[in-house]
């Protein structure tokens, strides 16, 4: 499909680029979705500005329409991209669409459809907001989402970026399955050592030695190893299939001790995505995702119970519990399942749904800025780019999430709260900062999508840790603070230097 100069879907494209393949298919529809999102956000903004009173039917209607739009249209656009090229499932632009559907669509709908206990919790806690304030957060999400999509699509049409997406010249060598096998086994072995011998012993109180930052960041390296084994299982079968079905269930079972649904779902879905690269059959992928959704529903009561028990035993959050405490909680569930099920049935508040909703912190931050309180967190994040080896006295902080919770509650509790990049940008400089920050995020997503497609088209699987870091940022990272995004850059640089060294010595 040719690009029409100054077309409605691409008003900034002056002429069609020739001679280079596209970074991604279906860019027309993806860009059009961005402009449609902006139009819908502007309509909501007009309603927000003209309607008075919290009982306005139009305000309440838009609080339903905007999240529902995110929940339905964004997955559809992502489906079109992935159907056109299965490799797109690993790209930040597709995962950002999934992020928007989950956290800007499904999450905010709890404000409309939560049960009585859930609504009582929303209205009585520190994140209480009116319907008008809720609409303001939905408008923020719409404007930010549209800017990111349009910016990413524009950047992916730049000729130099399209060149990034081309297959490497040594792609045939990289596709040698012996290299894939060595990479999978290396990730599995190193990931096992990193997670179970370095990171988790500190988190579970078995040692007082904190792991290096990059070790914590690459805690999921073992999941990548298992995911690549799933890829080889589809391509080669035999012993790779046996190895996968030995390692995969054991790893998932150990993750249950963390009482975190996100890590379990990551371990389940990563093999599905890599296997999809091998077989390219959407029905098999959908079947695996639906199975994962069923597992999510089944483990939710167990994870919630574990979290509550950790807090009841004096822990500040789910990260603050010893291995003995975790094993003890599992033993309680297994020895007295009736009591566990009774407690689960009595838990009427929809906590899992509430964790997908960031509207409360967003509304609080927007209200702070609107009454003249500005928080320059963008500048605070720049120091994260300086390695401690260069700046030995670099200050160590507890993170903006903890600071924000303590700022709001005036307590010393070590809870962490994300406000989303969008609200953080708004707190720094209003709508101007939102457009600038989200435009930058979109540009980064465009370049990163090109690089991911290059690595996948070349079967350059040694870059999968970098792909995972980028994918996790696109899927979950935007729920945090902008300075957390700065922290990702040094890790990518370190891994890039590591790969360069490996290639230099192995002549890859």
């Amino acid at each position: 499909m040719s690009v029409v100069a100054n077309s409605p879907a691409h008003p900034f494209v002056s002429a069609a680029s020739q001679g280079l393949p596209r970074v991604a298919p279906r860019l027309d529809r993806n860009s059009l979705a961005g402009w449609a999102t902006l139009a819908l956000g502007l309509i909501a903004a007009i309603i927000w500005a003209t309607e008075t009173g919290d009982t306005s039917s139009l305000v309440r209607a838009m609080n339903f329409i905007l999240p529902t739009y995110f929940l339905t249209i964004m997955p559809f656009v992502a489906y079109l991209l992935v159907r056109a090229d299965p490799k797109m499932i690993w790209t930040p632009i597709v995962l950002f669409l999934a992020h928007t559907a989950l956290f800007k669509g499904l999450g905010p709908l709890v404000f409309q459809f939560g049960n009585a206990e859930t609504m009582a919790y929303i209205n009585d806690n520190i994140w209480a907001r009116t319907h008008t304030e809720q609409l303001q957060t939905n408008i923020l999400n719409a404007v930010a989402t549209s800017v990111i999509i349009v910016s990413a699509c524009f950047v992916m049409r730049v000729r130099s970026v399209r060149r990034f997406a081309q297959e490497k010249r040594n792609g045939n060598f990289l596709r040698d399955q012996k290299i894939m096998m060595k990479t999978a086994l290396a990730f599995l072995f190193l990931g096992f050592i990193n997670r179970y011998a370095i990171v988790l012993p500190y988190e579970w109180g078995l040692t007082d030695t904190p792991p290096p930052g990059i070790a914590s960041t690459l805690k999921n390296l073992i999941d990548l190893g298992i995911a690549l084994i799933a890829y080889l299982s589809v391509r080669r079968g035999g012993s790779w299939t046996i190895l996968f079905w030995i390692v995969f269930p054991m790893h998932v079972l150990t993750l249950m001790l963390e009482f975190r649904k996100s890590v379990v779902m990551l371990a389940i879905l990563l093999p599905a995505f890599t296997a999809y690269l091998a077989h390219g059959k959407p029905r098999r992928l959908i079947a695996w995702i639906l199975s994962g959704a069923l597992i999510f529903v089944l483990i939710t009561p167990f994870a919630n119970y574990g979290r509550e028990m950790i807090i009841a035993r004096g822990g500040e959050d789910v990260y603050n519990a010893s291995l003995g405490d975790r094993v003890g909680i599992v033993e309680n569930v297994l020895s007295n399942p009736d009591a566990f099920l009774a407690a689960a049935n009595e838990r009427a508040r929809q906590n899992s749904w509430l964790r997908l909703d960031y509207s409360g912190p967003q509304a609080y931050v927007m209200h702070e800025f609107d009454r003249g309180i500005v928080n320059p967190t963008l500048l605070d994040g720049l120091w994260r780019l300086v390695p401690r080896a260069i700046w030995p006295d670099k200050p160590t902080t507890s993170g903006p999430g903890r600071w924000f919770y303590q700022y709001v509650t005036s307590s010393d509790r070590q809870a962490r709260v994300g406000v989303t990049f969008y609200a953080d940008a708004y707190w720094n400089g209003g709508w101007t900062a939102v457009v600038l920050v989200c435009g930058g995020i979109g540009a980064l997503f465009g370049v990163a999508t090109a690089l991911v497609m290059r690595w996948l088209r070349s079967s350059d699987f040694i870059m999968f840790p970098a792909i995972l870091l980028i994918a996790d940022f696109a899927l979950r990272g935007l729920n945090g603070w902008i300075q957390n995004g700065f922290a990702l850059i040094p890790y990518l640089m370190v891994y890039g230097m590591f790969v360069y060294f490996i290639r230099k010595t192995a002549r890859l």
Side-chain angles (χ1 to χ4, degrees):
M1 181 183 294
S2 62
V3 182
V4 179
N6 298 318
S7 66
H10 306 285
F12 301 123
V13 178
S14 58
S17 301
Q18 301 294 333
L20 289 173
R22 291 188 175 195
V23 173
R26 302 288 187 181
L27 282 182
D28 294 335
R29 297 182 183 183
N30 194 34
S31 181
L32 187 60
W35 290 111
T37 303
L38 179 60
L40 192 59
L42 292 177
I43 293 173
I46 293 172
I47 293 175
W48 175 83
T50 56
E51 290 291 312
T52 58
D54 208 43
T55 59
S56 170
S57 59
L58 286 177
V59 168
R60 298 193 175 210
M62 290 307 298
N63 278 333
F64 167 76
I65 292 172
L66 275 172
T68 302
Y69 169 84
F70 290 138
L71 184 59
T72 55
I73 299 301
M74 298 303 160
F76 177 69
V77 175
Y79 168 76
L80 294 178
L81 290 169
V82 173
R83 188 180 67 173
D85 189 338
K87 298 178 183 65
M88 287 295 296
I89 199 169
W90 282 96
T91 60
I93 190 64
V94 166
L95 292 170
F96 168 70
L97 295 173
H99 159 89
T100 303
L102 189 62
F103 296 104
K104 307 304 184 289
L106 179 60
L109 284 175
V110 71
F111 193 75
Q112 300 292 116
F113 301 109
N115 60 27
E117 290 78 7
T118 301
M119 293 307 301
Y121 173 79
I122 290 175
N123 293 325
D124 293 340
N125 76 356
I126 57 176
W127 311 122
R129 64 268 187 194
T130 65
H131 288 274
T132 303
E133 291 170 335
Q134 179 75 13
L135 180 56
Q136 190 179 14
T137 66
N138 285 325
I139 294 169
L140 173 68
N141 293 334
V143 172
T145 299
S146 65
V147 172
I148 290 175
I149 292 176
V150 172
S151 176
C153 290
F154 174 73
V155 168
M156 284 190 287
R157 290 187 173 279
V158 175
R159 185 176 183 84
S160 59
V161 175
R162 294 176 70 169
R163 190 174 288 111
F164 287 159
Q166 292 185 88
E167 182 179 327
K168 291 185 176 182
R169 293 179 181 178
N170 62 344
N172 290 331
F173 182 71
L174 288 170
R175 271 191 290 272
D176 184 347
Q177 292 198 3
K178 291 182 179 179
I179 295 177
M180 295 185 192
M181 289 186 275
K182 291 179 181 179
T183 303
L185 293 176
F187 286 173
L188 181 66
F189 176 75
L190 294 176
F192 178 85
I193 297 297
N194 183 60
R195 186 181 190 96
Y196 293 106
I198 299 176
V199 178
L200 288 185
Y202 175 74
E203 292 186 355
W204 291 358
L206 301 177
T207 178
D208 295 329
T209 304
I214 193 168
S216 299
T217 301
L218 294 177
K219 187 169 67 172
N220 296 318
L221 187 62
I222 185 175
D223 296 292
L224 284 180
I226 295 172
L228 289 181
I229 291 172
Y231 177 92
L232 291 167
S233 173
V234 174
R235 285 297 179 96
R236 298 180 65 89
S239 58
W240 290 102
T241 301
I242 296 174
L243 178 61
F244 174 78
W245 286 111
I246 291 175
V247 175
F248 174 69
M250 294 176 60
H251 177 57
V252 171
L253 286 176
T254 61
L255 293 178
M256 297 294 290
L257 285 173
E258 297 195 34
F259 305 117
R260 296 170 61 199
K261 300 183 290 295
S262 60
V263 297
V264 176
M265 296 311 299
L266 179 70
I268 291 174
L269 293 180
L270 280 183
F273 292 163
T274 50
Y276 183 60
L277 292 177
H279 58 68
K281 298 178 179 178
R283 290 184 179 180
R284 290 177 62 176
L285 175 65
I286 292 172
W288 191 288
I289 291 176
L290 291 177
S291 300
L294 177 61
I295 293 174
F296 177 86
V297 172
L298 294 176
I299 68 173
T300 291
F302 174 77
N304 290 341
Y305 177 79
R307 288 172 177 267
E308 292 174 1
M309 291 299 100
I310 289 174
I311 299 297
R313 296 182 183 193
E316 292 289 348
D317 55 37
V318 72
Y319 303 99
N320 186 17
S322 67
L323 177 60
D325 287 338
R326 296 173 187 276
V327 173
I329 292 171
V330 175
E331 289 178 346
N332 288 341
V333 173
L334 296 178
S335 62
N336 195 0
D338 293 337
F340 161 70
L341 293 175
N345 291 331
E346 292 175 0
R347 194 181 297 110
R349 196 172 72 199
Q350 298 157 308
N351 289 326
S352 296
W353 197 357
L354 286 168
R355 290 194 184 97
L356 301 178
D357 180 32
Y358 289 81
S359 303
Q362 283 183 318
Y364 186 96
V365 164
M366 297 182 79
H367 177 70
E368 288 288 279
F369 179 84
D370 291 344
R371 68 190 186 101
I373 300 177
V374 179
N375 186 28
T377 55
L378 281 174
L379 297 177
D380 294 339
L382 293 177
W383 63 265
R384 289 178 175 264
L385 299 177
V386 182
R388 193 170 293 277
I390 299 175
W391 184 8
D393 297 328
K394 185 173 72 170
T396 300
T397 64
S398 61
R402 285 193 176 98
W403 169 85
F404 178 65
Y405 182 84
Q406 293 171 356
Y407 171 79
V408 174
T409 62
S410 300
S411 71
D412 294 330
R413 184 182 173 189
Q414 298 296 306
R416 291 175 289 184
V417 177
V419 297
T420 75
F421 274 39
Y422 313 159
D424 191 11
Y426 189 89
W427 204 1
N428 275 265
W431 292 107
T432 302
V434 171
V435 172
L436 292 176
V437 169
C438 292
I441 293 172
L444 290 175
F445 280 174
V447 174
T449 295
L451 289 173
V452 169
M453 293 300 289
R454 175 187 180 89
W455 296 331
L456 294 178
R457 286 167 176 167
S458 306
S459 298
D460 194 1
F461 288 106
I462 198 173
M463 297 306 300
F464 248 102
I467 293 175
L468 179 63
L469 288 175
I470 295 169
D472 184 62
F473 174 75
L475 186 61
R476 300 187 305 167
L478 294 178
N479 289 332
W481 297 75
I482 296 173
Q483 61 178 268
N484 296 140
F486 284 106
L488 179 65
I489 298 175
Y491 298 129
L492 290 173
M493 293 175 64
V494 169
Y495 188 75
M497 290 187 289
F498 167 76
V499 171
Y500 175 80
F501 174 76
I502 293 294
R503 290 220 167 107
K504 197 73 172 177
T505 55
R507 294 184 179 180
L508 295 181

